[in-house]
Amino acid sequence: MVIVFQSKPAILSSGVVVGPLEKRSVFQTYFDKISQDERVQKSTNEQGNTMLISDACQIILKKSNLNNLDIDYLLGGDLVNQMTPTNFAARELAVSFIGLFSACATSVSSMIIAALLTELGASDFAIAGASSQHNSVERQFRYPIDYGSQKPATSQWTVTAAGFVLIGKHEQKLPYIEAATVGKVIDYGATDPYHMGGAMAPAAFDTIQAHLQKRSQKLEDYDVIMTGDLGKIGLKILIAMFAQSGVKKEDLSRFRDAGAEFYGEDASFLAGASGPGCSAAVYSGYMMEQFKTGRYKRVLLVATGALLSPLTFQQGDTIPCTAHAIEIGMG
């Protein structure tokens, strides 16, 4: 389903907070705050995740000269059981809250709903985004890091980060949300939880194709199409799918992926980065700055999510995936 926003809601501000290892990211200069402790000086990993979210929201409020009473909605999610880190951060912010789970696609699904609320006139200011915390996610979906389990080359590293944006009414000289595509759930029968990029690439392909077709657009209409966290291998699969569909070779260079680039060429991160905080941090930090400097005029951000759980994996189910896209313009 493609949505066109007639009022063109604006992205007014952003806040990005990351963990200590994320200092090694190629995007580290675009992060507002880098914590020196993985748990952000809290007792547990989950409490640390909550602090990442709270800090990112406070950064937005400070940048925008607002307080929590000015915010109409908080929309967000994470990967921990029942999204407790986001729920607890919402408790502290004390605003109307909609918790969302699209796995690693939550960074974009939250922005879509915030833009819809703005378009309807139901919101003046909405904060939207997503987060992840490496240790808590590894423990839930794979193994506690203390086990020291070895991972295959297709694995990706869950980022410790929270990225949020403030969405409001259209303003001149600010990036705005022009359209969005809410993706379907696509399942190509993948079963390997250590190869999320391969599982999610078909969902990204389906959503991007649907967006371009419904909008009567081509790849060259965009400065860049950045997927969320397909990683190095998943990005190659996505590009191969578009090449097989007849896309010209020169247009394939428009594809980028936040997970593939997040840690650069550091081989210790295997196939790249992942987690809701990965795309959220890159979109809210790096991408917003590219609009401000005038480097980009139109981009398509496509966050992908693997909709599995530890239980479905243990029961032998396949991995259904989704991808949500948001079209952002400037000028």
Side-chain angles (χ1 to χ4, degrees), residues 215-275:
R215 296 279 288 152
S216 299
Q217 295 173 336
K218 297 180 180 179
L219 291 178
E220 55 261 38
D221 293 326
Y222 290 91
D223 297 310
V224 65
I225 297 176
M226 180 174 272
T227 48
D229 55 348
L230 295 179
K232 299 179 188 300
I233 298 173
L235 178 60
K236 290 180 180 179
I237 294 172
L238 177 66
I239 290 174
M241 294 179 76
F242 272 99
Q244 291 174 4
S245 73
V247 172
K248 295 181 293 184
K249 185 176 181 180
E250 56 266 29
D251 288 330
L252 295 175
S253 62
R254 298 179 189 276
F255 286 107
R256 296 175 62 185
D257 182 77
E261 297 182 27
F262 196 91
Y263 292 113
E265 298 304 318
D266 192 330
S268 60
F269 295 102
L270 301 171
S274 66

Side-chain angles (χ1 to χ4, degrees), residues 6 23 34 47 71 112 131 207 214 222 225 238 241 272 316 321 324:
Q6 300 298 329
K23 189 175 183 178
I34 301 176
Q47 290 173 356
I71 304 302
I112 293 173
S131 69
T207 295
K214 292 289 186 180
Y222 290 91
I225 297 176
L238 177 66
M241 294 179 76
C321 299
H324 302 307

Side-chain angles (χ1 to χ4, degrees), residues 34 38 116 134 140 244:
I34 301 176
E38 184 75 17
L116 278 169
H134 177 80
Q140 179 166 321
Q244 291 174 4

Side-chain angles (χ1 to χ4, degrees), residues 134-155:
H134 177 80
N135 296 352
S136 61
V137 173
E138 288 296 307
R139 181 174 59 204
Q140 179 166 321
F141 284 91
R142 299 177 184 93
Y143 297 99
I145 58 172
D146 294 341
Y147 282 13
S149 61
Q150 300 300 300
K151 297 180 180 180
T154 56
S155 295

Side-chain angles (χ1 to χ4, degrees), residues 31-198:
F31 303 150
D32 294 293
K33 181 179 179 181
I34 301 176
S35 174
Q36 300 306 307
D37 177 61
E38 184 75 17
R39 295 178 176 176
V40 199
Q41 288 76 49
K42 294 296 180 179
S43 301
T44 69
N45 294 309
E46 292 72 24
Q47 290 173 356
N49 194 342
T50 296
M51 279 305 302
L52 291 171
I53 301 165
S54 296
D55 286 351
C57 291
Q58 290 302 320
I59 288 170
I60 287 175
L61 294 177
K62 185 175 181 180
K63 285 182 179 180
S64 308
N65 196 27
L66 299 172
N67 62 51
N68 65 312
L69 298 178
D70 298 311
I71 304 302
D72 296 304
Y73 297 95
L74 170 66
L75 305 102
D78 56 77
L79 293 179
V80 179
N81 289 332
Q82 289 77 53
M83 302 184 304
T84 46
T86 309
N87 296 341
F88 287 12
R91 176 183 63 187
E92 298 303 315
L93 194 60
V95 301
S96 297
F97 169 60
I98 301 176
L100 301 167
F101 183 83
S102 302
C104 298
T106 306
S107 59
V108 167
S109 63
S110 61
M111 294 173 67
I112 293 173
I113 296 176
L116 278 169
L117 290 167
T118 306
E119 177 93 345
L120 291 169
S123 175
D124 291 324
F125 298 110
I127 295 176
S131 69
S132 51
Q133 202 269 358
H134 177 80
N135 296 352
S136 61
V137 173
E138 288 296 307
R139 181 174 59 204
Q140 179 166 321
F141 284 91
R142 299 177 184 93
Y143 297 99
I145 58 172
D146 294 341
Y147 282 13
S149 61
Q150 300 300 300
K151 297 180 180 180
T154 56
S155 295
Q156 295 169 240
W157 185 276
T158 304
V159 166
T160 294
F164 284 78
V165 295
L166 179 67
I167 294 175
K169 292 181 174 64
H170 182 80
E171 291 189 17
Q172 295 294 326
K173 298 183 180 180
L174 286 177
Y176 57 83
I177 300 169
E178 187 163 353
T181 293
V182 178
K184 302 174 183 177
V185 175
I186 304 295
D187 191 338
Y188 269 39
T191 58
D192 185 358
Y194 288 106
H195 193 1
M196 292 291 94

